[in-house]
Amino acid sequence: MLGRKINRLLVANRGEIAIRIFRAATELGIRTVAVYSEQDNVSIHRFKADESYLVGAGKGPIEAYLDIDSIIEIAKRNDIDAIHPGYGFLAENAEFAKRCQDEGIIFIGPSPELIDKFGDKVEARRLAIEANIPVIPGTPEPIETLQEALLFAKEYGYPIIIKGVSGGGGRGMRIVRSQDELQDSLDRARSEARSSFGNAKVYLERYLEQPKHIEVQILGDNHGNIVHLFERDCSVQRRHQKVVEVAPSLSLDDKLREEICQSALTLMQKAGYSNAGTVEFLLTPDNRFYFIEVNPRIQVEHTITELITGIDIVQAQIRVAEGHALSDEEIGIADQSQIQMSGFAIQCRVTTEDAENNFLPDAGRLSAWRSGGGFGVRLDGGNGYPGAIITPFYDSLLVKISTYGTSFDQAARKMLRTLREFRIRGVKTNLPFLENVVTHPDFLSGSYDTSFIDTKPELFI
Ligand code: ADP
């Protein structure tokens, strides 16, 4: 069932995800269009598209990619059928999705209403509660006063985590371990939330000690069909940001896997979700899982799900946006039972962060760049080549390495080999740190949780 064929696709993003989307589109016979900021004049993503246009002239490096008017103007001038927002920038901006709709351009993602709903974490929790999905004890509304926080603490005890209602990227969260920290932490969390997300509203959750982060990949069409593509374990985190991801999780047996995936599906079915999305959970050491949030977009770590299921999620997103049903030949998922996982995949995010210097992102000219590769290795990059200039303006991600093996151990050995094959000179990278992660006995045995990096000083040597 086709709504409207996409012939010309614009990606309102940069770097590796823009290139990832161009590749998916090109294979579908779709012409690709890049936008680039002035600062990205020589950034490789612009040359990987069939056409490219300067966006947000005169604006700052980030602001250019957030310039809705400029993007829409380029799209209209160039006969664009659809816009893919990638992740970050405008990916979770309901106003942008609505604007596309109003201008007759397909926005590749869920509806503006759903982006809005899931963009508000308190609202998302409410939806989860209505769908009978376990949530972490938390305040049902954003909190305003110290009194409200004290009441919550009295009922549920410490530690508490303060989270921004519009939060993302692990930013703006504060853990409070005792009453005397509460007021100060509230003030700081609010001001951080205001400056990072333009919304000072915060809410409270009970802070779970040493949980695992398990998330379920969802894919839905515009006709009410929805499936899951199993889970990813993203517990290897630094400052609540993912560093290494694994699919499937080593910590779930079949029953628990089925329960978590079904919960994610129930929530998204109830929400009437379409396109790709992720439902995130925390799993406690006693194997209880709790909903934390929904990301209504493609995620950085979607690659490992593609490796274990063989499904190209970005192509499915494009086909769904065209109006295809999941069961149409173009997507080819007649029902849930058709999605099988096999083997194991690991993703490492290679960044310009210097692990010896508090992970400060580095910038400069790459004097050497030699890639790893080989059987079972997938690279999603774009910025790295000899002579490339890494600017300090954007995300410090250089390349994503995803490896696939029939066993977890094989995937891990491929990862280690690939990390060691890489030679990057001219900027500092986290390659040595990643090597330490993927050789750590706790990583290899799957007995790691979100406290892994913080509690292992040996990873930093
Ligand atoms: P963001 O949207 O900023 O990524 P999330 O709500 O997805 O925020 O949480 C990111 C990470 O923060 C989680 O993977 C987990 O490590 C930690 N976290 C969030 N909420 C809690 C909680 N209630 N208890 C313990 N850790 C939490």
Side-chain angles (χ1 to χ4, degrees):
M1 215 182 315
L2 188 63
R4 173 172 152 206
K5 171 109 184 68
I6 296 171
N7 294 309
R8 295 173 56 81
L9 171 73
L10 182 148
V11 177
N13 214 304
R14 64 180 303 283
E16 71 85 17
I17 194 62
I19 296 168
R20 164 75 189 95
I21 300 162
F22 296 147
R23 285 177 170 150
T26 300
E27 286 170 21
L28 297 178
I30 295 171
R31 199 163 162 87
T32 56
V33 176
V35 292
Y36 62 94
S37 67
E38 283 172 354
Q39 294 77 10
D40 263 345
N41 190 31
V42 294
S43 174
I44 203 80
H45 81 275
R46 100 169 250 215
F47 305 105
K48 294 274 186 183
D50 296 318
E51 300 167 27
S52 67
Y53 302 97
L54 177 68
V55 72
K59 297 229 160 140
I62 306 281
E63 290 73 22
Y65 290 101
L66 297 174
D67 187 340
I68 296 181
D69 285 336
S70 177
I71 294 168
I72 296 288
E73 193 267 323
I74 293 168
K76 296 193 78 164
R77 187 160 29 94
N78 293 287
D79 273 337
I80 295 299
D81 300 303
I83 297 183
H84 196 308
Y87 54 72
F89 295 120
L90 295 170
E92 292 173 69
N93 183 318
E95 183 196 329
F96 179 59
K98 177 81 175 51
R99 182 74 189 278
C100 291
Q101 227 174 37
D102 292 347
E103 302 280 357
I105 300 164
I106 299 170
F107 174 84
I108 302 184
S111 66
E113 294 73 30
L114 280 171
I115 295 176
D116 226 11
K117 268 197 181 139
F118 288 128
D120 178 327
K121 292 187 171 194
V122 169
E123 178 70 19
R125 281 173 52 90
R126 198 172 295 138
L127 285 175
I129 294 166
E130 281 170 17
N132 265 325
I133 313 296
V135 299
I136 301 169
T139 53
E141 299 289 340
I143 62 153
E144 307 279 343
T145 63
L146 177 66
Q147 251 47 47
E148 289 170 276
L150 286 170
L151 263 175
F152 180 81
K154 198 165 166 209
E155 184 161 2
Y156 296 103
Y158 292 90
I160 290 170
I161 184 165
I162 310 175
K163 298 168 85 167
V165 168
S166 315
R171 280 168 301 149
M173 289 187 276
R174 295 216 152 238
I175 299 155
V176 186
R177 296 201 174 268
S178 68
Q179 186 168 327
D180 27 307
E181 299 167 20
L182 199 51
Q183 179 71 66
D184 184 49
S185 298
L186 268 178
D187 294 342
R188 281 167 195 262
R190 267 211 203 89
S191 87
E192 267 170 44
R194 187 182 299 110
S195 61
S196 299
F197 318 113
N199 179 359
K201 281 191 188 158
V202 296
Y203 68 107
L204 307 181
E205 266 177 11
R206 187 70 219 269
Y207 180 72
L208 305 179
E209 302 281 3
Q210 309 193 322
K212 293 180 196 249
H213 174 115
I214 307 285
E215 58 183 36
V216 179
Q217 177 69 54
I218 295 289
L219 190 59
D221 64 21
N222 302 337
H223 311 283
N225 307 299
I226 191 158
V227 292
H228 70 77
L229 276 63
F230 299 102
E231 83 285 358
R232 299 181 283 259
D233 184 326
C234 313
S235 306
V236 180
Q237 302 181 351
R238 199 184 139 265
R239 296 203 176 145
H240 308 302
Q241 284 179 11
K242 300 158 190 168
V243 179
V244 177
E245 297 98 340
V246 170
S249 169
L250 301 182
S251 311
L252 306 184
D253 59 21
D254 289 349
K255 182 164 168 284
L256 192 52
R257 166 166 300 116
E258 176 66 15
E259 272 173 38
I260 293 187
C261 291
Q262 275 306 325
S263 293
L265 212 48
T266 305
L267 171 62
M268 297 298 250
Q269 258 158 354
K270 194 156 190 316
Y273 197 85
S274 73
N275 221 288
T278 299
V279 186
E280 298 189 335
F281 298 93
L282 295 182
L283 177 71
T284 53
D286 60 354
N287 278 345
R288 286 173 207 269
F289 63 89
Y290 300 92
F291 167 84
I292 45 172
E293 68 160 341
V294 168
N295 285 144
R297 55 169 168 82
I298 193 78
Q299 283 189 293
V300 177
E301 61 274 21
H302 74 278
T303 54
I304 52 174
T305 299
E306 296 184 324
L307 288 175
I308 63 158
T309 61
I311 294 170
D312 187 315
I313 299 171
V314 177
Q315 288 188 348
Q317 283 193 293
I318 296 172
R319 290 311 202 191
V320 162
E322 286 184 326
H324 281 291
L326 294 182
S327 57
D328 284 359
E329 201 185 321
E330 287 78 1
I331 305 177
I333 304 174
D335 57 37
Q336 183 67 53
S337 70
Q338 286 213 298
I339 301 168
Q340 300 290 334
M341 57 175 194
S342 108
F344 289 84
I346 303 172
Q347 179 182 270
C348 281
R349 303 185 187 198
V350 180
T351 67
T352 58
E353 290 168 354
D354 180 1
E356 283 170 21
N357 189 8
N358 205 20
F359 288 86
L360 217 65
D362 198 7
R365 180 186 284 273
L366 298 182
S367 52
W369 175 277
R370 292 203 300 281
S371 262
F375 184 36
V377 178
R378 166 177 175 174
L379 302 177
D380 288 76
N383 301 328
Y385 54 91
I389 293 170
I390 305 300
T391 66
F393 305 128
Y394 300 103
D395 191 315
S396 59
L397 186 61
L398 274 176
V399 59
K400 304 188 304 199
I401 306 175
S402 309
T403 59
Y404 175 82
T406 48
S407 65
F408 180 69
D409 198 47
Q410 192 186 58
R413 274 184 277 129
K414 273 184 199 288
M415 183 59 81
L416 178 62
R417 172 183 67 69
T418 311
L419 291 168
R420 286 185 174 159
E421 278 178 20
F422 261 91
R423 287 286 175 281
I424 303 175
R425 300 280 181 265
V427 295
K428 295 270 181 22
T429 73
N430 65 345
L431 281 165
F433 175 76
L434 292 170
E435 268 192 42
N436 290 341
V437 170
V438 303
T439 49
H440 196 283
D442 288 359
F443 178 75
L444 293 171
S445 65
S447 53
Y448 57 88
D449 55 50
T450 56
S451 70
F452 177 66
I453 290 181
D454 287 341
T455 53
K456 304 280 179 302
E458 64 270 30
L459 297 173
F460 297 82
I461 296 164

